[in-house]
Amino acid sequence: MAPYLLLALGAAVLGFLLCELHPSRRNDIILIAALSVVMFFLSVLRGTSVGVDYQMYLNYFAEVCEGGLPFVFSKNNLYWREVGYSLLEYVISLFGSSRLAYAAGIALVCLVLNAVFVYRHSPSPWISMFVFISFGIFGYTLCTIRHQIAIAIFLFALPYLQKKQFVPYCLIVLLAMTFHKSMFVLIPMYFLAQLALTWRTYAFYGVCLLGYFMFSEAILPIITPDFYQGYEVGSYYMLGRDIPTAVIPILFFLVVALMQKPLLDRNPQNLPLIKVSLYCAVLFIMTLKHFIFQRFALILLPVAMLLLPEITRCLAISPEQQAELDSLKHAVKAGTGNKKVNLQRYNELRTRLKDKRAMYYASIGFVLFGGFLYLGWILSANRLLIVPYVLA
């Protein structure tokens, strides 16, 4: 598990030294590019045993290379309904039929989409990249490939969710569905994300969860034959996960809920993202009874790449506060105005901002600690079979 831990450590240390202490868009680009290149080589150079579904996808790629475009649109194609993924594999096959060609093509798609999204939309790109690694999202790109490409596409719908622009949001979701049909849940989620977030909302979801734990075995057999054949009660996908599976996602939402007012003060458009974090936590709780719901929960988990940096920025010293402190400092040195009053105001503001700066760095430490804790658990559980990391 050392490569993944070193990758996360590199993201934390390089991000803090380069982007936190010397913030600039140039340094953001350097960090994003450096981490993406390292992850690209980790993806491409890994052996076929790294990633629980990797060999299965390699076998499918071989079918695409052999059958060509006619195979993509034939009923013999296992993924003919998810034509976006099939066409992507066909395009990759035009550059080569080797394992290396496939791994490089998939890694480029996943990592470039993530890099572009983080650069364009994250308030703190280095923290977003750290979350991408430490929350296991990068690890999933090594195995659940169709799902992760679909999720990477869906990330670009989040800004439209925030702006309540349904048409572009829906078009992006429909594109993501051509890679994995489970993305259909994001259509109703758009409307759920517009609901008010009050104690009644929490009570309603609490009652729904209680009903789910009591009656899921009676309800799911009615639904799964039409939507997810093979996921019958008693199958592997219907078994429950252990409690640690849901701990970090639930803690993530609790932190978001506690910071709801500062998040909304900073940007009222954060409200839909807060609701997405709630649905993510609810789905992870549902996973404790039926594993299949983790597939849907993982679609929403990358919202942490936006909300965790937003939380740290809420606690940071604003440019206006810094400008006020600098102005008072200059007034005290120059002796302009009432020197005694200016000195008192300067000392009070400096103390207040010193405390705020300490809280800001504490929030970063909290994110880093939680991220390493989550990554350590993911690697120890090793459900994705990405440990041990071996070269091809």
Side-chain angles (χ1 to χ4, degrees):
M1 62 177 68
Y4 309 107
L5 293 174
L6 289 174
L7 178 64
L9 182 62
V13 174
L14 183 62
F16 188 83
L17 295 178
L18 186 65
C19 300
E20 190 62 43
L21 299 183
H22 305 283
S24 71
R25 293 305 271 169
R26 172 181 169 273
N27 287 348
D28 289 341
I29 292 173
I30 292 173
L31 175 87
I32 293 170
L35 292 175
S36 297
V37 168
V38 173
M39 288 187 283
F40 174 80
F41 282 108
L42 283 173
S43 300
V44 171
L45 300 179
R46 75 188 193 273
T48 56
S49 64
V50 181
V52 64
D53 293 335
Y54 188 33
Q55 186 60 58
M56 177 191 73
Y57 281 114
L58 287 173
N59 295 339
Y60 175 72
F61 179 63
E63 291 184 66
V64 173
C65 291
E66 183 178 349
L69 198 58
F71 172 77
V72 169
F73 294 102
S74 74
K75 294 295 180 68
N76 293 325
N77 175 11
L78 178 64
Y79 302 121
W80 68 273
R81 287 190 177 91
E82 294 157 328
V83 67
Y85 178 71
S86 299
L87 285 173
L88 174 62
E89 294 237 342
Y90 173 70
V91 171
I92 295 174
S93 73
L94 299 178
F95 294 90
S97 58
S98 66
R99 178 201 60 80
L100 190 63
Y102 174 75
I106 294 299
L108 276 175
V109 171
C110 290
L111 298 175
V112 168
L113 285 174
N114 179 72
V116 171
F117 175 79
V118 166
Y119 178 76
R120 290 182 58 185
H121 299 290
S122 173
S124 182
W126 79 269
I127 293 181
S128 293
M129 292 298 289
F130 174 78
V131 172
F132 177 74
I133 295 164
S134 63
F135 274 47
I137 303 170
F138 168 62
Y140 277 102
T141 68
L142 303 179
C143 45
T144 56
I145 292 169
R146 285 184 304 124
H147 202 226
Q148 287 309 123
I149 295 175
I151 293 171
I153 293 171
F154 166 65
L155 287 176
F156 291 89
L158 289 175
Y160 296 108
L161 176 66
Q162 291 179 273
K163 298 172 186 175
K164 299 183 180 180
Q165 296 178 357
F166 178 69
V167 173
Y169 172 89
C170 187
L171 291 175
I172 293 174
V173 170
L174 291 174
L175 175 61
M177 285 176 61
T178 67
F179 286 82
H180 205 285
K181 60 187 178 182
S182 67
M183 308 300 283
F184 80 89
V185 299
L186 298 171
I187 301 296
M189 194 202 70
Y190 175 88
F191 300 100
L192 290 173
Q194 311 307 325
L195 299 177
L197 197 56
T198 66
W199 68 267
R200 292 182 179 87
T201 308
Y202 293 117
F204 172 74
Y205 289 125
V207 171
C208 290
L209 273 176
L210 182 62
Y212 161 78
F213 278 97
M214 292 176 63
F215 304 113
S216 63
E217 283 88 352
I219 297 173
L220 287 177
I222 302 173
I223 301 173
T224 52
D226 294 325
F227 293 97
Y228 283 91
Q229 294 87 353
Y231 294 165
E232 296 86 1
V233 172
S235 67
Y236 170 73
Y237 291 99
M238 290 295 109
L239 299 178
R241 290 298 201 193
D242 55 8
I243 290 177
T245 302
V247 169
I248 294 297
I250 292 173
L251 287 177
F252 162 57
F253 168 68
L254 291 177
V255 171
V256 169
L258 289 172
M259 291 293 296
Q260 179 175 329
K261 187 180 184 303
L263 283 169
L264 295 180
D265 288 342
R266 173 173 161 80
N267 182 3
Q269 291 184 345
N270 280 328
L271 184 58
L273 300 184
I274 294 171
K275 294 171 186 174
V276 170
S277 70
L278 167 61
Y279 303 138
C280 178
V282 168
L283 286 166
F284 267 103
I285 293 172
M286 294 171 70
T287 297
L288 300 180
K289 189 167 187 185
H290 298 300
F291 161 52
I292 183 58
F293 289 100
Q294 185 172 340
R295 174 160 293 176
F296 302 108
L298 290 172
I299 297 173
L300 308 182
L301 185 61
V303 75
M305 293 168 57
L306 290 181
L307 281 179
L308 287 175
E310 280 286 324
I311 288 172
T312 63
R313 297 313 304 171
C314 287
L315 299 171
I317 296 173
S318 68
E320 294 78 14
Q321 291 172 321
Q322 186 63 50
E324 182 183 359
L325 183 68
D326 293 339
S327 176
L328 287 171
K329 183 178 182 181
H330 176 74
V332 170
K333 285 187 175 181
T336 57
N338 190 320
K339 186 174 181 180
K340 183 177 180 181
V341 172
N342 286 338
L343 181 60
Q344 182 180 0
R345 289 175 57 198
Y346 171 73
N347 288 331
E348 289 175 352
L349 182 59
R350 185 178 63 174
T351 300
R352 190 163 68 249
L353 294 188
K354 183 179 180 181
D355 293 340
K356 189 170 186 179
R357 183 178 287 108
M359 184 64 70
Y360 170 64
Y361 285 127
S363 70
I364 292 177
F366 176 80
V367 171
L368 296 181
F369 174 77
F372 279 113
L373 186 67
Y374 199 17
L375 181 61
W377 176 80
I378 290 170
L379 297 176
S380 298
N382 200 27
R383 291 169 179 167
L384 306 179
L385 300 185
I386 60 175
V387 177
Y389 181 88
V390 295
L391 296 172

